[in-house]
């Protein structure tokens, strides 16, 4: 069975990739491992929103998305972040293909909670046929946008998108690459975390905002049998997220 690794890159992480990162991708591909990257773009979207006079508003790490924010999100993800990331991968000798939901309806979704979040969606279907075909030859770089059955665009939290795609592809591993080495508790990176620990740390406000969203998404993924690591370096384990049964 072909192994698949899904890498979720936060917006900061896309601009802080090291030579070791690209070396690891090359080693995976040489070993026959398929690699799909799902990229966020939070800092870049924030910067452009503020430049355009739009208020940035998040709830539980999820961006509240009105029509103007959705337009900016699409423009930044597909016109700024993804092209830059694809260019960098190409410069490091990796075959790469930029992807988004309008390519053969790759990601189909429904509204998460329109009253609470606006045009934010959750993924209900992944076109695995097309993704599997692409990943046989390329490192895929996928933006976390989905569309409804009637073609309405949806903003999707990149952590949630990565989990949905990893589960659909039957990925062996999901690497959630961020700008910190893992889940930090009292100044130390936790080697592992399980749902009970996560709940306590959220209540104690040790885990907040974006990391809270990552943990919630990761727990959904490990229940489906995919190993999840939260890290700032794909060559290091960071924090491994365990299911309740482990």
């Amino acid at each position: 069975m072909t192994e698949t690794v899904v890498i979720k890159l936060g917006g900061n992480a896309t601009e802080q990739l090291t030579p070791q990162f690209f070396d690891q991708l090359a080693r995976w591909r040489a070993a026959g491992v398929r690699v799909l990257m799902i990229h966020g773009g939070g800092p870049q979207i924030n910067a452009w929103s503020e430049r355009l006079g739009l208020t940035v508003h998040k709830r539980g790490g999820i961006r509240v998305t009105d029509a103007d924010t959705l337009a900016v999100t699409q423009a930044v993800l597909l016109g700024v972040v993804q092209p830059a990331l694809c260019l960098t991968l190409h410069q490091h000798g990796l075959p790469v293909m930029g992807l988004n939901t309008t390519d053969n309806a790759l990601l189909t979704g429904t509204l998460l909670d329109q009253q609470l979040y606006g045009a934010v969606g959750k993924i209900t279907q992944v076109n695995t046929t097309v993704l599997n075909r692409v990943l046989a030859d390329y490192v895929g770089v996928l933006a976390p946008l989905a569309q409804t059955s009637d073609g309405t665009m949806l903003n999707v939290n990149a952590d949630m998108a990565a989990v949905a795609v990893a589960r659909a592809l039957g990925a062996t591993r999901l690497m959630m690459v961020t700008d910190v080495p893992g889940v930090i508790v009292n100044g130390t990176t936790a080697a592992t975390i399980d749902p009970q620990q996560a709940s306590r740390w959220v209540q104690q406000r040790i885990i907040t905002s974006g990391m809270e969203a990552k943990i919630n998404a990761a727990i959904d993924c490990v229940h489906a049998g995919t190993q999840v690591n939260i890290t700032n370096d794909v060559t290091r384990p960071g924090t491994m997220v365990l299911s309740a049964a482990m």
Side-chain angles (χ1 to χ4, degrees):
M1 180 178 177
T2 303
E3 183 178 356
T4 302
V5 174
V6 174
I7 302 171
K8 185 271 174 174
L9 289 174
N12 283 324
T14 62
E15 299 178 346
Q16 300 171 355
L17 300 176
T18 65
Q20 291 76 19
F21 175 86
F22 300 104
D23 289 344
Q24 181 61 68
L25 263 59
R27 285 194 293 271
W28 275 330
R29 282 193 50 78
V33 177
R34 305 182 309 175
V35 179
L36 175 65
M37 302 169 66
I38 297 178
H39 64 87
Q44 297 90 334
I45 295 168
N46 290 347
W48 277 98
S49 294
E50 292 168 3
R51 189 176 300 180
L52 295 170
L54 302 177
T55 300
V56 175
H57 186 198
K58 292 186 177 183
R59 289 193 174 104
I62 297 176
R63 185 181 303 275
V64 177
T65 306
D66 60 13
D68 289 337
T69 300
L70 180 61
V72 171
T73 298
Q74 286 182 250
V76 172
L77 291 179
L78 301 181
V80 178
V81 179
Q82 188 175 101
L85 182 54
C86 287
L87 176 60
T88 303
L89 289 163
H90 173 73
Q91 290 172 336
H92 282 81
L94 291 160
V96 59
M97 181 176 291
L99 302 164
N100 72 82
T101 183
T102 60
D103 300 323
N104 298 288
L106 283 181
L107 303 177
T108 303
T110 59
L111 287 164
L112 183 61
D113 185 330
Q114 188 170 21
Q115 185 173 359
L116 195 60
Y117 301 113
V120 173
K122 59 181 179 181
I123 294 171
T124 56
Q125 185 174 344
V126 178
N127 190 334
T128 56
T129 300
V130 171
L131 283 180
N132 283 325
R133 188 163 62 240
V134 169
L135 297 181
D137 298 311
Y138 299 94
V139 174
V141 178
L142 177 61
L145 297 164
Q147 55 187 330
T148 64
S149 57
D150 65 1
T152 301
M153 294 297 295
L154 299 170
N155 184 20
V156 181
N157 174 273
D159 297 315
M160 296 171 64
V163 166
V165 173
R167 292 181 66 167
L169 289 174
T172 47
R173 187 183 312 175
L174 169 60
M175 307 290 292
M176 305 180 88
V177 181
T178 183
D179 53 357
V180 293
V183 179
I184 299 173
V185 182
N186 298 323
T188 302
T189 302
T192 62
I193 185 172
D194 61 36
Q196 292 78 17
Q197 288 173 317
S199 179
R200 288 196 302 271
W201 288 342
V202 167
Q203 290 174 0
Q204 296 166 0
R205 306 303 294 164
I206 293 172
I207 296 176
T208 60
S209 190
M211 188 58 75
E212 180 180 350
K214 284 180 177 57
I215 289 295
N216 290 335
I219 288 171
D220 286 342
C221 200
V222 296
H223 288 330
T226 297
Q227 178 181 318
V228 180
N229 296 84
I230 299 174
T231 183
N232 61 352
D233 183 348
V234 293
T235 66
R236 298 176 182 175
T239 299
M240 181 182 294
V241 183
L242 308 176
S243 70
M246 294 180 68

